Amino acid sequence: MGTSRYQAAVTLAQVAEAAGVGESTVSRVLRNHGSYSGKTRDRVMTAVERLGYVPNRIAGTLASTGSRLVAFVIPSLSNIVFADVLRGAGATLEENQYQAVFAVTDYDPAREEALVGSMLAWRPAAVMLAGYEHTGRTITMLRTANCRVVEMLDVDGTALDLAVGFSNRAAGRASAEFLLKRGYRRIGYVGHDLERDTRAGKRYSSFCETLSVNGVPLAGQQIYREASSVERGRLGLDLLLARTPDLDAVYFSNDDMALGGYFHCLARGIVIPSQLAIFGYNGLDLGRVMPQALSTIRTPRVATGQLAAKLIVDNAPSQVIDLGFELIEGATA
């Protein structure tokens, strides 16, 4: 452990100095009010972008009391994973009289950047995000904000400050090893947008690498550019099997998609797992109560939220905590 790595917030005076103008000029430009030249505006906005400056909407109000606001910037609310994280964090924050607010990015890095800027303008005590992958400006804003930063649900990367989660690459590798040890050799993949959902992308890459190292290349795949859903899991497996009918196992990007695959097998009379094995990710409650319990990876989502919140409350030193995951053998593989 070491001391916290966050820096003092960039001030209006620093922006003014960098732009070579007075503080009142910077203020007019940022409020889009009063007179100034186009050239002056360009100099000010260049300095704002370079320094990662965020206007303080409540300057003076929190200077003496300290902020009790914690901002969550998450990819989705339709995915129960993030609802579980919020549930875990919410109780801990409420017990310690912190107020949680959240915004949804829809897995869009540019939207995340805009939302982080909006949240930081309220000078929160902490910002909590999913994963390590952010735009350059988002990283600059977070590094120069005078608040704690917690990146959750991943440990494969370099944290800005605090991180709590598990290795998605290790999860992908464990999933492949599980299927290989059970003798599956014609393995396919059904997934959602891997460019936006970078954690799913890490699992996919590690899964494929593990298969390849063992002399079993991925036999086929169906990847959607849209978000995951039960319906896309069902349609995706249908399309994949139409192209590659001799598969003996399919790895899904998450349990929602795997559940759709399970429904497809029921509808087509495909016997699981003797004719086709299916494997998911997340370990949702629904997978446990299926007629055949889903083979999957269970992730500690609620615990991730709880611990992330505790680190904020305790003002813990910068660190990365790997909570690991649990492989659920289930009955579908």
Side-chain angles (χ1 to χ4, degrees):
M1 293 186 184
T3 58
S4 172
R5 295 194 294 269
Y6 68 80
Q7 304 172 21
V10 176
T11 65
L12 189 76
Q14 289 173 304
V15 175
E17 181 180 0
V21 299
E23 292 181 40
S24 60
T25 301
V26 175
S27 180
R28 289 198 302 273
V29 170
L30 294 179
R31 289 185 292 112
N32 194 27
H33 180 74
S35 61
Y36 49 85
S37 68
K39 185 176 181 181
T40 295
R41 182 189 183 282
D42 290 343
R43 293 214 312 271
V44 169
M45 295 311 297
T46 297
V48 166
E49 290 285 335
R50 181 167 60 83
L51 296 175
Y53 176 74
V54 179
N56 186 354
R57 292 178 180 166
I58 48 176
T61 303
L62 300 175
S64 59
T65 60
S67 174
R68 309 299 289 180
L69 187 72
V70 174
F72 287 84
V73 183
I74 57 176
S76 170
L77 277 181
S78 62
N79 188 329
I80 196 172
V81 168
F82 303 107
D84 283 346
V85 172
L86 289 174
R87 179 161 57 90
T92 300
L93 293 174
E94 185 175 353
E95 288 171 5
N96 291 275
Q97 299 181 327
Y98 282 84
Q99 177 64 52
V101 296
F102 65 87
V104 179
T105 70
D106 292 324
Y107 291 95
D108 183 345
R111 181 168 173 78
E112 180 187 68
E113 177 184 307
L115 290 171
V116 165
S118 296
M119 291 292 193
L120 288 177
W122 294 102
R123 295 300 186 260
V127 176
M128 305 175 78
L129 313 96
Y132 289 139
E133 288 71 35
H134 319 290
T135 68
R137 174 160 165 74
T138 298
I139 291 171
T140 298
M141 286 191 293
L142 292 171
R143 281 179 172 163
T144 56
N146 189 24
C147 72
R148 305 310 302 270
V149 177
V150 189
E151 293 161 299
M152 302 177 293
L153 302 174
D154 201 1
V155 296
D156 300 317
T158 302
L160 293 171
D161 180 11
L162 298 161
V164 182
F166 35 84
S167 172
N168 284 272
R169 290 191 59 80
R173 182 167 58 252
S175 302
E177 290 171 349
F178 176 83
L179 294 175
L180 289 170
K181 286 178 182 177
R182 277 149 185 76
Y184 298 109
R185 292 297 181 269
R186 294 288 296 169
I187 302 173
Y189 176 82
V190 175
H192 59 286
D193 192 340
L194 302 180
E195 292 184 7
R196 291 196 173 192
D197 188 346
T198 56
R199 291 169 300 287
K202 290 176 182 179
R203 296 193 299 274
Y204 167 79
S205 295
S206 183
F207 183 85
C208 293
E209 289 167 7
T210 303
L211 292 183
S212 181
V213 166
N214 286 274
V216 182
L218 191 69
Q221 63 182 29
Q222 176 65 38
I223 299 176
Y224 289 95
R225 294 189 61 83
E226 298 84 6
S228 66
S229 69
V230 174
E231 182 181 13
R232 290 195 178 97
R234 180 172 181 172
L235 295 175
L237 182 59
D238 186 22
L239 292 172
L240 178 61
L241 291 178
R243 295 194 306 269
T244 320
D246 62 339
L247 296 178
D248 56 16
V250 176
Y251 176 48
F252 291 82
S253 57
N254 60 32
D255 285 0
D256 290 341
M257 301 285 277
L259 182 60
Y262 184 82
F263 287 150
H264 173 75
C265 291
L266 290 181
R268 293 298 178 88
I270 299 172
V271 181
I272 298 174
S274 59
Q275 289 182 294
L276 185 71
I278 63 176
F279 195 92
Y281 174 82
N282 272 328
L284 302 184
D285 291 342
L286 189 58
R288 191 172 67 250
V289 299
M290 288 165 49
Q292 293 169 278
L294 182 64
S295 302
T296 187
I297 294 283
R298 179 181 296 156
T299 56
R301 303 175 297 279
V302 174
T304 293
Q306 290 172 333
L307 183 53
K310 188 175 188 303
L311 293 175
I312 292 170
V313 170
D314 294 344
N315 195 27
S318 297
Q319 57 190 288
V320 175
I321 300 179
D322 186 349
L323 295 177
F325 53 80
E326 180 184 3
L327 194 149
I328 306 299
E329 293 191 6
T332 59

